Amino acid sequence: TPPHRAVLVYALTGRGSFVVAIRGDRVRVASIALSPIAMERQVEALLHNLQGAPTAYKIGAIREYGHLLHQALVAPVASFLDGARELVVIPDGPLHGLPFAALVENEVAPAGSGEDLGSIHFLLQRSSLESIAYAPSLATIALLEARPPPSADSDLLLLGSPTSIDTSLTPLAHSRQELDSIASLFPKEQVRYLVGDHARLDELNRHAATCQTLHIATHARRAPGDRGSTYLVLSGSEVL
């Protein structure tokens, strides 16, 4: 792997759970001191408290479960992240639903920081780290890197800031800013936005076939009662 990238591969087996850390030509295997059942419960608790408007209770729970998961999943190989600009996670089992960016490095809030989300030091805020990506396998990473770069005349489709009827979702204040930042990399005539009421499934189906690059900035949720099913929130009551 490139020296700026750290890869964490997780394997939950009948003989134990492990994380394989890869950075350049270095490889390390570490055991995870957390049973798959306990892991699933902690992941569910973190996801539950990440949803909706933050309260003092939720912030405390995010700090607690985020730190417990960080200590079990990342801390044993944390040295592989030192100086890395990119982290790629290859999850397994219940970790497929875990947003690693929300893991918490420090359980105790800094003195005088107050009890708010700004007082929590999340994994994505780790020094030098710029992005956290996910892949189903190492082979997938190799295939993606072997792809030719998009041509200069490729079209860009941007979908975000949907007007969902789900009132439990906190509006994504920076969704449009994210889309505009990506749009600035393309000529204006090659960019199409699907935002607000236009962030619908029929609009996406209509335009997706003619675009070479698609970027979506919206909420992702797990289907109630189905731990393995996730979906993206679109406008109205639509999901993807």
Side-chain angles (χ1 to χ4, degrees), residues 14-44:
R15 297 184 178 183
S17 299
F18 306 91
V19 54
V20 181
I22 305 170
R23 178 82 180 275
D25 58 359
R26 294 187 297 146
V27 179
R28 180 183 175 188
V29 180
S31 297
I32 298 175
L34 191 65
S35 70
I37 294 178
M39 188 183 304
E40 183 175 14
R41 289 174 178 170
Q42 291 184 15
V43 169
E44 290 181 346

Side-chain angles (χ1 to χ4, degrees), residues 4 13 15 33 45 56 77 85 94 96 174-175 192 205 207:
H4 69 273
T13 74
R15 297 184 178 183
V77 291
R85 299 198 309 271
H96 281 285
H174 301 289
S175 174
R192 179 182 295 275
N205 289 335
H207 300 291

Side-chain angles (χ1 to χ4, degrees), residues 59-68 70-71 103-110 115 119-121:
I59 292 169
I62 290 169
R63 189 191 307 279
E64 176 186 355
Y65 291 111
H67 182 67
L68 287 172
H70 176 275
Q71 293 304 101
L103 298 187
V104 179
E105 290 195 295
N106 301 319
E107 182 181 20
V108 180
E115 190 65 21
S119 69
I120 301 178
H121 188 75

Side-chain angles (χ1 to χ4, degrees), residues 23-183:
R23 178 82 180 275
D25 58 359
R26 294 187 297 146
V27 179
R28 180 183 175 188
V29 180
S31 297
I32 298 175
L34 191 65
S35 70
I37 294 178
M39 188 183 304
E40 183 175 14
R41 289 174 178 170
Q42 291 184 15
V43 169
E44 290 181 346
L46 178 60
L47 290 173
H48 174 74
N49 287 285
L50 285 170
Q51 297 181 25
T55 63
Y57 175 84
K58 286 185 176 182
I59 292 169
I62 290 169
R63 189 191 307 279
E64 176 186 355
Y65 291 111
H67 182 67
L68 287 172
L69 287 165
H70 176 275
Q71 293 304 101
L73 302 174
V74 178
V77 291
S79 62
F80 275 66
L81 274 63
D82 293 342
R85 299 198 309 271
E86 178 184 347
L87 170 61
V88 177
V89 176
I90 300 177
D92 190 21
L95 300 182
H96 281 285
L98 175 64
F100 274 71
L103 298 187
V104 179
E105 290 195 295
N106 301 319
E107 182 181 20
V108 180
S113 61
E115 190 65 21
D116 56 46
L117 289 175
S119 69
I120 301 178
H121 188 75
F122 293 107
L123 179 62
L124 187 58
Q125 296 171 294
R126 185 183 178 92
S127 177
S128 79
L129 194 60
E130 298 175 358
S131 67
I132 298 178
Y134 301 86
S137 67
L138 288 171
T140 301
I141 298 175
L143 287 172
L144 291 174
E145 292 185 335
R147 293 186 307 170
S151 60
D153 59 351
S154 63
D155 289 333
L156 171 66
L157 183 61
L158 300 169
L159 185 149
S161 300
T163 53
S164 173
I165 63 172
D166 189 341
T167 56
S168 68
L169 295 175
T170 303
L172 298 174
H174 301 289
S175 174
R176 183 55 187 260
Q177 180 181 345
E178 176 183 329
L179 299 182
D180 289 342
S181 177
I182 296 172

